[in-house]
Amino acid sequence: MYSEDKIIIRGLRQNNLKNVPLDIPKGKIVVFTGVSGSGKSSIVFDTIAAESQRQMNKTYTAFIRGRLPKYEKPRVERIDNLSAPVIVDQSRLGVNARSTVGTISDMYAALRLLYSRIREPYVGTASYFSFNDPNGMCKTCSGIGKILDLDIERAIDPDKSWNESMLNLPAFKVGNYYWKQYVGSGLFDLDKKYRDYTPEERNLLLFGSREPGGPRVHKRVEGIKTQFQRLCLMKGPEEQNDHTLKKLNQFMEEKVCPDCGGKRLNPRTLACKVAGYSIHEMCAMEFTELVEVLRTITDSRAASIVEALTASLQRMIDIGLPYLSMDRESSTLSGGEAQRLKLASDLDKQGNIYVLDEPTTGLHASDVKKIMELLDSLVDRGNTVIVIEHNTDVMKQADWIIDVSPDGGTAGGEIVFTGTPKEMAEQAQTITAEYLRKSI
């Protein structure tokens, strides 16, 4: 019988699933359980999440569809009543050097707005507090907080001379182009080993001048460090077809920006204070400390911003992320941290299907309770929450359990129980049911 309050699946044969029929109640917390390899992910991610995304993408124009990720239609005869998906899995967040906890959660945008309103002294609008904007970024590192430096001396064999190819770079081998440029300058003793060079001779080789930053001595000698640092930074790795430039990549090293000290922002921006702190200092605080600082702000011009920002921070604290800070690079987060961050940042949707993969992994029991409260709030907004989970506390608080088993791989792929947690504990004869009974 057709019902719009259920996701209806018939004839599902994705991966190891054996022609599975399944009805999943909507507007509930539904937990999928089962042993590893039983087929849980094949149902939740490879079928429900993928097909929801595929159907949603079909509503866009052909131009937009051509730029969206492609999702294959799952092997299923029928799947009805899907809603737009919100996938909150444990995949790592982007590795962009500009991406931080603050930027991906939008909390940094709120903090920038706060500073633009009540900072002292005045510098400008919110863009002046962004390390991604020319108004706010440190000019030396372009707002990344780090620079690439070329340790070119690692390419020099101290026990060799020019006539012995002391530079371990293809273009500087005896007789090659740059070798001829440098030895033809008359600046170097061709038989003198590098270890015996005077400081002035080393500067000539590295910088083309008698001292770093000085005027060039010979028009053909730019200095190997000056020359190749310019070329390496000018061209990305994908453009570096030259053998010498490719080889130089192994001598590049990342260093903290000498001008901003890794703070990403320019001095004028860093001089602005709210509650006695620069925006960088607030971003470096753990969430628990930052909440307390924000609550000391009484300026009426910032009341709504402070309220929204502290609420966002409190959600992060409640789901087990009190130790994070806004300046933490997103690429350093674990899969579990990334999942909880995405969940706490994406709570304003209604009528969607939220799909989560073991969100309580590694959490204390008190944090598990807070996760469940968060999931309950999603359901209260009219969403459906589908979770793969092994935690019995989550199972007991779910509205519905679907147990996939009886084993992994080819021996799995069947639905062995569907019902409430109470019904599972009282009636089911499965590995998961036995595990649940022991926890009661």
Side-chain angles (χ1 to χ4, degrees):
M1 181 178 177
Y2 185 83
S3 175
E4 290 189 355
D5 61 357
K6 296 178 181 178
I7 298 171
I8 299 172
I9 298 175
R10 297 291 183 267
L12 179 56
R13 298 180 298 279
Q14 188 75 12
N15 299 328
N16 69 334
L17 298 170
K18 298 178 172 62
N19 201 34
V20 167
L22 189 59
D23 290 351
I24 303 172
K26 298 186 72 173
K28 306 287 185 184
I29 296 177
V30 180
V31 173
F32 276 76
T33 61
V35 299
S36 178
S38 61
K40 305 184 297 297
S41 293
S42 295
I43 298 174
V44 174
F45 286 100
D46 298 344
T47 301
I48 297 172
E51 181 62 9
S52 296
Q53 190 66 62
R54 193 184 73 86
Q55 290 184 12
M56 186 173 73
N57 288 359
K58 287 173 64 177
T59 65
Y60 297 116
T61 64
F63 176 80
I64 294 176
R65 287 201 305 271
R67 287 155 177 78
L68 294 173
K70 302 298 187 291
Y71 297 90
E72 292 186 8
K73 183 175 176 59
R75 297 183 61 201
V76 62
E77 293 175 5
R78 173 187 172 193
I79 180 166
D80 296 329
N81 296 334
L82 293 174
S83 304
V86 179
I87 315 299
V88 191
D89 58 15
Q90 295 199 24
S91 60
R92 294 295 184 96
L93 294 167
V95 295
N96 188 315
R98 297 184 179 276
S99 179
T100 67
V101 167
T103 59
I104 61 176
S105 65
D106 289 332
M107 290 190 294
Y108 188 58
L111 193 64
R112 291 193 294 111
L113 183 59
L114 173 68
Y115 270 78
S116 71
R117 287 196 181 176
I118 64 170
R119 78 273 149 247
E120 292 291 342
Y122 174 82
V123 293
T125 63
S127 67
Y128 282 80
F129 297 93
S130 171
F131 49 77
N132 292 324
D133 190 287
N135 287 324
M137 68 172 56
C138 167
K139 297 299 188 290
T140 302
C141 63
S142 298
I144 295 176
K146 301 171 185 175
I147 61 169
L148 285 175
D149 191 29
L150 180 63
D151 187 5
I152 193 65
E153 289 191 83
R154 288 165 51 195
I156 303 174
D157 188 332
D159 296 317
K160 290 184 178 180
S161 65
W162 275 109
N163 281 334
E164 295 171 315
S165 293
M166 69 180 181
L167 271 168
N168 186 24
L169 297 170
F172 282 88
K173 296 295 183 183
V174 172
N176 286 354
Y177 178 75
Y178 283 126
W179 182 89
K180 292 179 181 178
Q181 294 284 92
Y182 276 69
V183 301
S185 68
L187 296 176
F188 306 101
D189 180 339
L190 305 188
D191 294 312
K192 190 174 186 176
K193 300 185 186 304
Y194 183 71
R195 68 167 183 266
D196 297 325
Y197 272 32
T198 65
E200 181 179 299
E201 289 171 327
R202 293 193 180 208
N203 286 334
L204 286 171
L205 176 61
L206 297 176
F207 308 109
S209 56
R210 301 190 189 283
E211 58 184 11
R216 188 188 295 191
V217 173
H218 193 284
K219 64 180 182 179
R220 293 186 180 181
V221 179
E222 183 180 356
I224 58 173
K225 180 164 185 174
T226 303
Q227 176 183 356
F228 287 115
Q229 186 157 7
R230 173 178 56 81
L231 291 173
C232 285
L233 296 179
M234 183 176 66
K235 296 184 177 182
E238 69 283 354
E239 300 177 273
Q240 294 181 7
N241 296 320
D242 183 276
H243 293 303
T244 297
L245 292 182
K246 286 183 177 180
K247 191 173 184 66
L248 282 169
N249 282 330
Q250 66 184 298
F251 306 124
M252 297 298 291
E253 56 183 358
E254 198 173 64
K255 293 183 177 180
V256 174
C257 174
D259 286 346
C260 70
K263 297 175 183 178
R264 299 175 178 246
L265 298 162
N266 61 50
R268 189 181 179 198
T269 296
L270 291 170
C272 295
K273 300 294 178 72
V274 169
Y277 298 96
S278 70
I279 193 169
H280 167 74
E281 289 170 331
M282 282 204 186
C283 285
M285 294 177 184
E286 290 189 356
F287 288 162
T288 47
E289 180 185 2
L290 181 55
V291 165
E292 295 305 313
V293 170
L294 291 172
R295 285 173 178 162
T296 67
I297 298 173
T298 58
D299 193 317
S300 60
R301 294 173 296 171
S304 61
I305 303 173
V306 170
E307 181 181 0
L309 191 50
T310 53
S312 296
L313 288 165
Q314 193 60 53
R315 283 198 300 269
M316 299 292 181
I317 294 168
D318 288 344
I319 61 172
L321 300 173
Y323 53 86
L324 288 186
S325 58
M326 281 202 212
D327 66 353
R328 172 91 172 260
E329 291 185 14
S330 60
S331 60
T332 67
L333 298 174
S334 69
E337 289 171 332
Q339 179 176 218
R340 296 197 294 278
L341 181 61
K342 288 184 280 188
L343 177 61
S345 302
D346 204 1
L347 296 174
D348 58 345
K349 293 181 171 60
Q350 296 181 343
N352 290 64
I353 298 175
Y354 279 75
V355 180
L356 297 94
D357 183 15
E358 300 189 58
T360 66
T361 300
L363 292 183
H364 187 271
S366 60
D367 292 324
V368 172
K369 181 180 178 182
K370 291 170 183 174
I371 287 280
M372 293 307 297
E373 290 172 354
L374 204 59
L375 299 186
D376 281 330
S377 72
L378 289 174
V379 170
D380 291 341
R381 291 186 179 90
N383 298 293
T384 300
V385 177
I386 297 178
V387 187
I388 293 177
E389 188 57 85
H390 297 98
N391 188 302
T392 54
D393 289 332
V394 176
M395 294 181 204
K396 286 183 282 190
Q397 296 178 63
D399 298 307
W400 199 255
I401 294 182
I402 298 174
D403 199 14
V404 189
S405 221
D407 209 334
T410 57
E414 300 177 23
I415 305 300
V416 292
F417 173 81
T418 62
T420 66
K422 185 174 183 295
E423 291 169 342
M424 175 178 244
E426 293 177 351
Q427 304 170 17
Q429 301 300 315
T430 69
I431 296 173
T432 306
E434 183 63 28
Y435 181 52
L436 180 61
R437 280 191 285 272
K438 289 179 180 179
S439 70
I440 297 176

